[in-house]
Amino acid sequence: MKKFLILTFIGLSVCCTPSGKKPISRAADNIKDSVLHYYYQSLDKNLSLVQKQQKIDKSFFLAKNHLYDSIYSQILYQKNSLHLASQEYDSLQIYNKLLINHALKIGDDHMLAYQYYLMGYYFAERAHNSEEAFQNYTLSKGYFEQIGDSSGVGRNLLNMGTIQKDFNDFFGSKETLTEALQYLVPENDTVYIAQCYNLLATDHRKLLNYDDAIIYYLKAINTTNSIEDRLIYKNNLAATYIDDARYRQAVHLLDSIATESLIMKNGYEYARVLDNLAYASWLSRKEKAVDPFLQALEIRQQNNDKRGQIASYTHLGEFFSKNQHQKAQAYFDTVINLSKTIKMPRAEKDALKFLMHLEPTNFQLRDRYVFLQDSLYEQELKVKTQFAKYKYDDKLKQESILRLEKENAEKELEASRQRNQKIIYLGGFLFVISVLGLSIYSFGQRTKRLRQKNKTDKLMATHETEAELSRRLHDGFGAGLNQTMLMVQNDMDKSTLLDTLEGLYNQSRDFSREINEVNTGSKFREEFFEMLRFRTPLNAKLLITGSKEINWAEIAPLTKTVLYKVLQELMINMGKHSEATLITISLQKVDKMLKVDYIDDGVGASVEDLNAKNGLRNTEKRIQALGGTITFDSGKGDGFRANIILPK
């Protein structure tokens, strides 16, 4: 416990850097520098206790009117620790309250954890007030939990378990120490983990669970890195062997310990080893002399070890109980007197138990024994209940803190969720608006492009049609006229001239039919079929299917025009090049589209031939400009197929 207190002071001086308010003037800055200067000087290990107090008093005097928050808390803590070291307990109480109030005011949980630990140490080791010590350790544990210091929590639990053990609350002590092991960190807390194992072993020993006690003592021995502590734990293990009547093992172990120079330098522990060795040797009947007992007693008397003297006098009383009752009674009487002096009623009760065997008719001894037994039971029950209450209250407090933290976290989570939901809704709304706007813009642009493309396609189709018509007029009709003019100039036979003129007339009539505007009204079907029959060669047969199922009145005029022109172009192309004998045209309404399949059994055409035909290219452009499609399927000697889809 003392070791940890020293470590606490060192830890605070290193890890708790002052963080006060920003100075508002050079004078305030100078004051703060002086406060820190004297504070750090008070931590100097080379200074005496008085010098340290002088430094911290100067720092406190300068800081008390300028409350620099955390640095002020550290100054108060340093004053408290120095008052404790100087045994100035009245001042300790005053500055303890001052520090607690200030730390609570600024919410300095870190300093509260250490200050309550320091006061727990004071009440346990100096004031010998176990209830106050237990309560302060419990408060310190709670604050260490809040700042997330696992080792601090474990060390408080270790001290609480020690107090419970001292008040014979062995079951409660076991529970507390087992919990402490869950918090202590093996990398940093080896010393305290070993102490836990040692105390757990003692609890089991007092509960007569010797096998478990031996297991935990061995764990303590194997865990500690301190040679001195290891020897002490071995001595405890030997005492357990004695309680379990395993005297030879105890003697063997104690013999090995007694020769260690380190244990010989520690008068308290060396006397304890010698006394245990003498006791084990006597019980094993290996040694019958009283001198080893007296040697241990003499060392304890020299060190003023009254607790140790009680053990020596008790063993001497047992040693003389069989043969020299008066000596035994004298030793037990000494035990009773010493136990009253140092307020150890349990030691008096144990001595009375031995005396009752020596004086069975002494009813005063019996009454005193019963009184002490009842008083101890009542006191132990009261202490156990009080300890349990402290632990229960602390558990409720921690649960309340956790519940509050959970509620705050849930509220924050809900608020965050609502914020995120609003952000998502807003983001989604903006996204939808953006997408909608972009879509409208894109659709407008696309519509504009398509309109422009349709216009371009229509214009290109018109230009190419005009170019084709111009070529045909020039190459066909123009050539015929030129030939006729030559025939007139050369006075050709009149009948031949008339035949030539009739051919030109028929050619112009066909040409006129081809370029005339299509009648898309009620007469469309008749004119459409008339055009198909007219364009069918004499040696070919035309089959048309599906026309009766189509309501031609529903077909858009533009679609009728394109259909008419496209099939006219296909029939003209067939009549000139295919040599077909069978032409099949299938008409079908599919949803909002008009599907037309054209098939002939002619000689067909290669891909190169199809691409070279201007009329077919014009046909394709007409259909695409309308938003339809046309697919050609042909090959040399395989006939010709065209699949056309037009919007109604």
Side-chain angles (χ1 to χ4, degrees), residues 342-599:
I342 62 174
K343 298 180 181 179
M344 281 186 65
R346 182 165 292 279
E348 180 184 355
K349 183 174 80 75
D350 292 339
L352 288 171
K353 186 176 180 180
F354 285 111
L355 285 172
M356 286 166 59
H357 284 90
L358 297 175
E359 302 179 60
T361 59
N362 190 333
F363 297 110
Q364 289 182 343
L365 293 176
R366 184 197 63 187
D367 293 342
R368 176 63 178 173
Y369 178 84
V370 171
F371 170 77
L372 284 175
Q373 188 176 38
D374 292 342
S375 298
L376 287 170
Y377 175 78
E378 185 178 337
Q379 182 185 7
E380 290 171 4
L381 181 61
K382 177 183 176 182
V383 171
K384 289 178 184 179
T385 303
Q386 192 64 40
F387 290 164
K389 182 180 183 304
Y390 289 143
K391 293 188 70 175
Y392 179 73
D393 290 345
D394 179 64
K395 183 179 179 181
L396 289 180
K397 179 181 177 182
Q398 296 305 318
E399 288 178 352
S400 176
I401 292 172
L402 291 174
R403 185 166 56 253
L404 183 61
E405 290 177 350
K406 180 183 177 183
E407 290 174 356
N408 290 336
E410 289 176 348
K411 289 179 181 178
E412 179 62 28
L413 183 63
E414 178 62 22
S416 177
R417 188 187 67 80
Q418 291 180 0
R419 286 196 302 270
N420 292 338
Q421 196 172 44
K422 290 178 181 178
I423 292 171
I424 291 171
Y425 287 156
L426 180 59
F429 176 74
L430 293 175
F431 176 75
V432 169
I433 293 297
S434 300
V435 170
L436 185 60
L438 184 61
S439 299
I440 293 172
Y441 176 77
S442 299
F443 180 75
Q445 292 297 107
R446 182 173 179 274
T447 303
K448 185 177 179 181
R449 287 196 303 271
L450 288 175
R451 285 176 181 171
Q452 186 62 38
K453 185 175 183 299
N454 287 341
K455 288 180 180 179
T456 302
D457 289 344
K458 288 177 181 178
L459 185 59
M460 288 180 65
T462 302
H463 287 167
E464 290 186 8
T465 301
E466 290 174 350
E468 176 66 14
L469 293 174
S470 176
R471 182 187 62 77
R472 288 169 63 185
L473 281 171
H474 180 273
D475 295 345
F477 195 72
L481 285 175
N482 187 50
Q483 183 182 0
T484 303
M485 291 173 65
L486 289 174
M487 290 174 68
V488 172
Q489 291 176 1
N490 294 326
D491 295 325
M492 292 291 294
D493 182 64
K494 188 175 182 179
S495 61
T496 303
L497 182 61
L498 290 173
D499 290 339
T500 302
L501 289 172
E502 184 179 2
L504 287 172
Y505 171 75
N506 291 332
Q507 187 177 357
S508 65
R509 184 188 63 186
D510 293 343
F511 191 73
S512 175
R513 284 182 176 178
E514 185 176 336
I515 64 174
N516 279 345
E517 185 176 345
V518 177
N519 181 4
T520 59
S522 59
K523 298 291 184 179
F524 171 78
R525 184 174 181 275
E526 289 78 4
E527 291 187 6
F528 176 54
F529 289 146
E530 178 62 25
M531 179 272 295
L532 294 176
R533 283 192 292 271
F534 175 77
R535 293 294 180 185
T536 303
L538 295 175
N539 62 340
K541 185 177 181 180
L542 175 65
L543 295 178
I544 301 174
T545 62
S547 64
K548 293 181 180 180
E549 285 77 18
I550 296 174
N551 185 358
W552 293 97
E554 294 179 353
I555 306 301
L558 186 57
T559 300
K560 292 177 181 178
T561 301
V562 172
L563 176 65
Y564 187 98
K565 295 289 184 180
V566 168
L567 284 177
Q568 179 179 256
E569 182 65 33
L570 292 176
M571 294 297 287
I572 291 172
N573 186 68
M574 177 271 301
K576 289 181 179 181
H577 308 292
S578 73
E579 302 177 9
T581 59
L582 179 63
I583 304 101
T584 302
I585 298 175
S586 173
L587 301 167
Q588 184 182 3
K589 185 182 71 171
V590 180
D591 294 330
K592 296 182 179 181
M593 307 299 287
L594 179 63
K595 183 178 180 183
V596 183
D597 292 327
Y598 170 90
I599 304 172

Side-chain angles (χ1 to χ4, degrees), residues 151-165:
S151 294
V153 174
R155 293 168 188 174
N156 274 289
L157 288 167
L158 170 60
N159 293 329
M160 291 160 65
T162 302
I163 295 172
Q164 288 175 293
K165 185 267 298 180

